[in-house]
Amino acid sequence: MAETYDFLFKFLVIGSAGTGKSCLLHQFIENKFKQDSNHTIGVEFGSRVVNVGGKTVKLQIWDTAGQERFRSVTRSYYRGAAGALLVYDITSRETYNSLAAWLTDARTLASPNIVVILCGNKKDLDPEREVTFLEASRFAQENELMFLETSALTGENVEEAFLKCARTILNKIDSGELDPERMGSGIQYGDASLRQLRQPRSAQAVAPQPCGC
Amino acid sequence: MEYEDKAGRPSRPPSPKQNVRKNLGFEPLSTTALILEDRPANLPAKPADEAQKHRQQYEEMVVQAKKRELKEAQRRKKQQEERCRVEESIGNAVLTWNNEILPNWDTMWCSRKVRDLWWQGIPPSVRGRVWSLAIGNELNITHELFDICLARAKERWRSFSTAGAEVENEDAGFSAADREASLELIKLDISRTFPNLCIFQQGGPYHDMLHSILGAYTCYRPDVGYVQGMSFIAAVLILNLDTADAFIAFSNLLNKPCQMAFFRVDHGLMLTYFAAFEVFFEENLPKLFAHFKKNNLTPDIYLIDWIFTLYSKSLPLDLACRIWDVFCRDGEEFLFRTALGILKLFEDILTRMDFIHIAQFLTRLPEDLPADEVFVAITTVQMQSRNKKWAQVLAALQRDSREQEKGSPSLRH
């Protein structure tokens, strides 16, 4: 686990059941589409170190269950999230209609400053579309969200969604709008910024040590 | 890291290359492949000492090859014997269950002998019957009741698919939209239940059964409805029982206190279960417990999936069925004991991981968990804390949380 990074961001993936949250995560981590996908019970995880604007950022991603009923459980995972992918399915108006509720949860439970990107997933199923690009982008504008249509199947815009969200958080840190030191910001300084501090200790580790066995 | 590679990769059919290698491995090795030949006639013959040396080397090679062959033959014989032994013991167990235990269920089921046999795993051919008996039918559900619930569910599906959301208002408090959503969700989740088995999906042999049980249950218990995770439980039951009996087992299983708490998503009560679990976690694995605490790794992160699906999603199906065997007999306590067994089995790896790696590891366990090792680990778990058993610890915590609620209403959100 010799990872070094400048920042660690906690990310959420939220939205109604069957919108492809886990598939988006899988595509982002493994670069391929997850056939034979199960539904998530509770929460699943992914992590990846990305390079954004010259900084290395480790994304710690919490992929939550989508069923309405689980909300009381998944809500407890929101605390201290820095970013979120809010996912709906462009072929299901119902999943689009519940966006407002998901967004309220994210802003009240995670942080009012949480950076949210709206993802209209299943872009590849355009013939079955029930929600237009225009309508969703208007919703995004009204609610101050970034917006992309994605396809976990083809991979289109998947990487972009995660990176865009990370970039925005970094910009906010640079501009002073977000303070990583604040409790519950969802941001931690990574190993890289501690590297100099750690060097003496790792040099020590090279020295022969008495064997414990 | 090996465990990371194994975890979460869908098992793919072996590539053609691997197949070839495998086949070769099973072909009899033969010494005839080794032939000592002189140089071709058009070349000068070998000097005598060189020829002698080669002959000697050749003979050594033959001896080695023969040794290998012998060893291989012995290995195969042993494997064969082992397989026979396992088959024989399963055969014997089936006989014992069918001829001795099942006919005398009420007197025998809690005997020492049966308990031992039970722990080793119930043979698949009698598993369904034993589960049914062990789960019981406290709710007195009959096959007729199942038929009625199913007929009602079917009526609902029809009216939704034809007329839309216009349905009589018999279940007060549940809007038509909610119900429609849950019917839609059942359809969606069935396609995502054991997808790699390819038997529950649309067109698969067990698709309609799974649909029937989940649909009938939402009519039988509209207050609970369909909750994600149920499809896995129903699917495992269908693999072992006929539809109506699977429904009876399903409804009774979900009616148990722990399952009711979870499937009603009673968050407060779930937290009490997690707290009880942590008492035994600390007792059994203090070092790992401290490590989890330090990393803010709360038990809900991994327990929710394990408890909701009774391990059928997270463990290999054979192993999950063995967990179910004992769970049907010992109740909820065994679910938490199993969780501790898994943690114990991987204690060393887990203590070296940070938050995200632990979370990823536990929500996606290695695919090839050996059942015997898991059960050995479970055996070593002590379900006693300061002379208190699981049920006592849980009851005490429940009392505490009730008193807390009463005592400080202002603190409740």
Side-chain angles (χ1 to χ4, degrees), chain B residues 162 178 190 255 262 274:
Chain B
T162 55
D178 267 352
I190 284 177
N255 201 47
F262 278 73
F274 298 145

Side-chain angles (χ1 to χ4, degrees), chain A:
Chain A
M1 274 163 246
E3 291 168 324
T4 48
Y5 46 84
D6 299 303
F7 291 104
L8 185 146
F9 295 166
K10 175 175 172 178
F11 267 31
L12 300 171
V13 188
I14 53 176
S16 297
T19 52
K21 296 181 289 300
S22 299
C23 290
L24 281 172
L25 176 60
H26 194 262
Q27 175 66 254
F28 177 61
I29 304 284
E30 306 274 336
N31 263 315
K32 55 186 178 228
F33 180 62
K34 192 176 183 183
Q35 292 289 345
D36 293 349
S37 177
N38 284 318
H39 41 290
T40 304
I41 314 285
V43 59
E44 288 174 17
F45 295 87
S47 70
R48 197 181 131 184
V49 177
V50 292
N51 213 310
V52 190
K55 294 266 194 318
T56 48
V57 178
K58 179 164 177 165
L59 302 180
Q60 181 196 89
I61 306 155
W62 296 51
D63 168 27
T64 61
Q67 192 183 10
E68 188 78 24
R69 196 78 78 83
F70 277 107
R71 249 193 223 182
S72 61
V73 170
T74 50
R75 272 175 171 164
S76 58
Y77 302 139
Y78 284 43
R79 206 169 38 133
L85 269 72
L86 173 57
V87 188
Y88 71 98
D89 168 0
I90 64 155
T91 72
S92 158
R93 176 151 293 277
E94 216 187 305
T95 65
Y96 177 77
N97 289 341
S98 53
L99 287 175
W102 287 109
L103 187 59
T104 310
D105 270 5
R107 292 210 163 128
T108 50
L109 299 165
S111 144
N113 299 321
I114 186 170
V115 175
V116 182
I117 182 160
L118 180 65
C119 297
N121 195 31
K122 308 197 188 177
K123 188 175 194 284
D124 49 284
L125 295 177
D126 198 60
E128 295 161 47
R129 177 190 286 277
E130 285 183 5
V131 183
T132 65
F133 183 87
L134 197 68
E135 185 181 2
S137 51
R138 210 173 292 141
F139 176 87
Q141 215 164 32
E142 282 163 13
N143 292 282
E144 292 171 17
L145 309 172
M146 293 175 287
F147 172 52
L148 279 176
E149 282 192 341
T150 57
S151 166
L153 181 73
T154 66
E156 188 178 349
N157 277 343
V158 175
E159 179 119 354
E160 287 77 352
F162 284 92
L163 294 184
K164 210 169 170 173
C165 196
R167 199 174 302 125
T168 308
I169 296 170
L170 274 178
N171 287 342
K172 286 192 170 186
I173 294 173
D174 282 344
S175 72
E177 213 178 313
L178 276 179
D179 176 13
E181 311 262 6
R182 191 180 54 79
M183 274 286 284
S185 66
I187 303 161
Q188 286 170 32
Y189 288 112
D191 298 347
S193 41
L194 298 171
R195 244 176 288 176
Q196 284 150 331
L197 288 173
R198 288 205 174 166
Q199 248 158 16
R201 212 192 294 167
S202 56
Q204 223 171 39
V206 182
Q209 285 184 339
C211 174
C213 48

Side-chain angles (χ1 to χ4, degrees), chain B residues 359-378:
Chain B
Q360 276 177 297
F361 185 87
L362 292 178
T363 52
R364 238 182 315 151
L365 291 171
E367 275 176 20
D368 48 1
L369 273 184
D372 292 327
E373 279 177 40
V374 173
F375 266 80
V376 167
I378 293 173

Side-chain angles (χ1 to χ4, degrees), chain B residues 173-221:
Chain B
F174 281 79
S175 71
D178 267 352
R179 247 184 288 161
E180 186 176 21
S182 111
L183 289 183
E184 282 292 308
L185 192 57
I186 289 175
K187 243 201 286 180
L188 174 69
D189 282 352
I190 284 177
S191 71
R192 305 190 288 175
T193 303
F194 297 120
N196 42 347
L197 293 183
C198 300
I199 50 176
F200 296 107
Q201 286 59 47
Q202 190 88 49
Y206 291 136
H207 171 268
D208 292 351
M209 281 167 82
L210 186 51
H211 203 195
S212 297
I213 289 181
L214 295 172
Y217 187 77
T218 59
C219 291
Y220 173 64
R221 289 299 295 264

